[in-house]
């Protein structure tokens, strides 16, 4: 009866919401990406320029404002409203590295603005109600989003990335990254993203490095892979759960 009343009073609004694709912005995935960001920062010694594909609300562009804790060590703001606990299993990433962020930007076909009430409710609605820890993390990330503005542009991934990578940023390391995104792109666009990164990588230098950090499906777990230019080929740096934890770090030669 209550659902019928809602449908009668706001049927068009309900139809609009049903047509909207799910835009989960999983904060826990920042834990899986963290080691990659730390490794890049430690290797290059430069501030990071973050470019995220499939950003949704861009919450993982604020990864450095969260707290990550585990038996192997901790990283991040101890007073952060976002606390990701029991983060790492086994080896640990280079948690002694520091990160400076020079720029944060993202794109999405249908971005969600987490600083608005509608955006906040939209993102909260995509979390299962029997998972209070994920809800707490998301609520904390939404609080941080109000303090740390980030522009998420409505644009196709390949077009946006090509345009952004054509803009020189000497003295910074550009990091193109994404988490559980590639499966939602058409084959042609995925190939364009790869070609765009490779072309930009061929222009990279020690003064203006480029990195590609990807958390994507690897079977029962997600694989976190890093490609860095000009220094080296793609490598598997970690595996993780699809919501982030637990993160199993793969030992790196200089980490």
């Amino acid at each position: 009866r209550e659902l019928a009343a809602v449908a009668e009073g706001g049927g068009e609004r309900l139809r609009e919401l049903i047509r909207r694709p799910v835009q989960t912005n999983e904060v826990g995935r920042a834990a899986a990406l963290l080691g990659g960001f730390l490794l890049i920062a430690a290797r290059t010694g430069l501030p990071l320029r973050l470019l995220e594909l499939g950003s949704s609300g861009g919450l993982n562009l604020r990864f450095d404002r969260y707290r990550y804790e585990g038996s192997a060590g901790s990283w991040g703001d101890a007073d952060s409203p976002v606390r990701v606990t029991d983060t790492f299993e086994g080896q640990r990433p280079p948690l002694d590295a520091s990160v400076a962020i020079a720029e944060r930007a993202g794109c999405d076909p249908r971005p969600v603005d987490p600083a608005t009430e509608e955006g906040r409710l939209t993102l909260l609605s995509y979390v299962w109600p029997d998972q209070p820890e994920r809800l707490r993390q998301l609520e904390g990330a939404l609080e941080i989003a109000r303090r740390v503005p980030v522009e998420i542009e409505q644009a196709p991934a390949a077009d946006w990335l090509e345009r952004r990578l054509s803009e020189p940023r000497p003295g910074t390391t550009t990091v193109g990254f994404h988490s559980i995104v590639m499966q939602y792109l058409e084959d042609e666009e995925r190939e364009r993203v790869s070609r765009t990164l490779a072309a930009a990588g061929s222009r990279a230098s020690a003064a203006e490095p480029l990195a590609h950090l990807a958390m994507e499906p690897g079977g029962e777990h997600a694989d976190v892979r890093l490609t860095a230019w000009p220094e080296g080929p793609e490598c598997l740096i970690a595996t993780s759960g699809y919501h982030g934890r637990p993160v199993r770090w793969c030992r790196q030669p200089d980490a």
Side-chain angles (χ1 to χ4, degrees):
R1 185 181 303 171
E2 291 178 359
L3 286 174
V6 170
E8 183 178 351
E12 183 54 39
R13 177 59 173 158
L14 280 175
R15 283 189 287 273
E16 178 188 342
L17 292 172
I18 290 170
R19 288 192 295 266
R20 177 186 293 176
V22 174
Q23 287 284 72
T24 302
N25 203 167
E26 182 53 56
V27 179
R29 290 174 184 157
L33 297 166
L34 173 67
F37 291 126
L38 295 178
L39 187 59
I40 294 163
R43 285 177 173 176
T44 67
L46 296 172
L48 304 186
R49 174 199 185 201
L50 304 178
L51 303 178
E52 185 181 21
L53 307 180
S55 299
S56 183
L59 300 183
N60 288 329
L61 281 161
R62 287 107 163 165
F63 80 92
D64 58 311
R65 303 302 179 97
Y66 306 157
R67 177 71 172 178
Y68 309 86
E69 299 176 339
S71 59
S74 301
W75 191 90
D77 181 2
D79 296 321
S80 174
V82 177
R83 306 185 78 84
V84 185
T85 58
D86 301 322
T87 306
F88 308 108
E89 283 189 356
Q91 302 292 336
R92 47 168 268 178
L95 297 176
D96 54 345
S98 60
V99 173
I101 306 300
E103 183 181 344
R104 311 171 201 262
C107 72
D108 197 277
R110 298 192 67 168
V112 179
D113 185 352
T116 66
E117 183 63 12
E118 180 176 355
R120 187 185 76 84
L121 290 174
T122 296
L123 292 173
L124 287 169
S125 74
Y126 295 140
V127 178
W128 302 326
D130 62 344
Q131 297 194 344
E133 184 177 5
R134 288 180 66 205
L135 282 168
R136 283 194 298 271
Q137 288 177 353
L138 178 53
E139 287 169 345
L142 291 169
E143 179 183 332
I144 289 173
R146 287 192 290 270
R147 305 180 206 158
V148 184
V150 176
E151 181 183 359
I152 308 300
E153 185 176 341
Q154 184 171 7
D159 290 348
W160 182 83
L161 185 64
E162 184 173 8
R163 175 161 44 84
R164 287 289 182 153
L165 291 181
S166 69
E167 303 165 356
R169 288 293 189 278
T172 65
T173 300
T174 295
V175 185
F177 77 97
H178 47 86
S179 54
I180 316 299
V181 167
M182 290 294 108
Q183 67 199 55
Y184 299 108
L185 303 184
E186 298 292 339
D187 291 346
E188 181 180 351
E189 186 163 24
R190 281 198 300 271
E191 291 169 4
R192 280 190 61 203
V193 167
S194 296
R195 289 197 303 269
T196 298
L197 285 164
S202 69
R203 304 189 298 269
S205 66
E208 194 174 353
L210 172 67
H212 176 211
L213 179 61
M215 174 195 176
E216 295 293 343
E220 294 183 359
H221 54 251
D223 288 345
V224 184
R225 296 182 178 274
L226 174 64
T227 309
W229 293 272
E231 64 183 45
E234 177 187 286
C235 62
L236 178 70
I237 60 171
T239 63
S240 74
Y242 278 89
H243 288 154
R245 300 177 307 165
V247 180
R248 304 172 187 88
W249 183 252
C250 304
R251 180 178 290 278
Q252 304 299 310
D254 54 352

Coordinates of all heavy atoms in Angstrom, one line a residue, residues 24 38 69 85 94 109 161 170 196 210 230:
T24 N 27.7 3.1 -7.8 CA 28.4 2.8 -6.6 C 29.8 3.5 -6.5 O 30.5 3.5 -7.5 CB 28.6 1.3 -6.4 OG1 27.4 0.7 -6.4 CG2 29.3 1.0 -5.1
L38 N 51.3 5.1 -3.2 CA 52.5 5.3 -2.3 C 53.8 4.9 -3.1 O 54.8 5.5 -3.0 CB 52.4 4.5 -1.1 CG 51.3 4.9 -0.1 CD1 51.2 3.9 1.1 CD2 51.4 6.3 0.4
E69 N 44.3 1.3 8.4 CA 44.9 0.6 9.6 C 44.9 -0.9 9.4 O 44.0 -1.5 8.9 CB 44.1 1.0 10.9 CG 44.1 2.5 11.2 CD 43.2 2.8 12.4 OE1 42.4 2.0 12.7 OE2 43.4 3.9 12.9
T85 N 39.8 -0.4 8.4 CA 40.6 -1.2 9.3 C 40.8 -2.6 8.7 O 40.2 -3.0 7.7 CB 39.8 -1.3 10.6 OG1 38.5 -1.9 10.3 CG2 39.6 0.0 11.3
P94 N 54.6 0.4 0.8 CA 55.5 1.3 1.5 C 54.8 2.4 2.3 O 54.7 3.5 1.9 CB 56.3 1.9 0.3 CG 55.3 1.8 -0.9 CD 54.5 0.5 -0.6
P109 N 30.3 9.1 -17.2 CA 29.2 9.3 -18.1 C 28.1 10.0 -17.4 O 27.4 10.8 -18.0 CB 28.8 8.0 -18.6 CG 30.0 7.1 -18.4 CD 30.7 7.6 -17.2
L161 N 40.4 11.4 -21.2 CA 41.8 11.1 -20.9 C 42.7 11.6 -22.0 O 43.8 12.2 -21.7 CB 41.9 9.6 -20.8 CG 43.3 9.1 -20.4 CD1 43.6 9.5 -18.9 CD2 43.4 7.5 -20.4
P170 N 54.8 19.5 -16.1 CA 56.1 19.3 -15.7 C 56.2 19.4 -14.1 O 55.5 20.2 -13.5 CB 57.0 20.3 -16.4 CG 56.0 21.4 -16.8 CD 54.7 20.7 -17.0
T196 N 45.8 5.5 -25.7 CA 46.1 6.9 -25.2 C 47.1 6.9 -24.2 O 48.1 7.7 -24.1 CB 44.8 7.5 -24.7 OG1 43.8 7.6 -25.8 CG2 45.0 8.9 -24.1
L210 N 54.5 9.3 -16.0 CA 53.1 8.9 -16.1 C 53.0 7.5 -15.5 O 53.9 6.7 -15.6 CB 52.7 8.9 -17.6 CG 51.4 8.3 -17.9 CD1 50.2 9.2 -17.4 CD2 51.2 8.1 -19.4
P230 N 58.7 6.7 -17.5 CA 59.4 5.9 -18.6 C 60.1 4.6 -18.0 O 60.8 4.0 -18.8 CB 60.4 6.9 -19.1 CG 60.8 7.7 -17.8 CD 59.5 7.8 -17.1

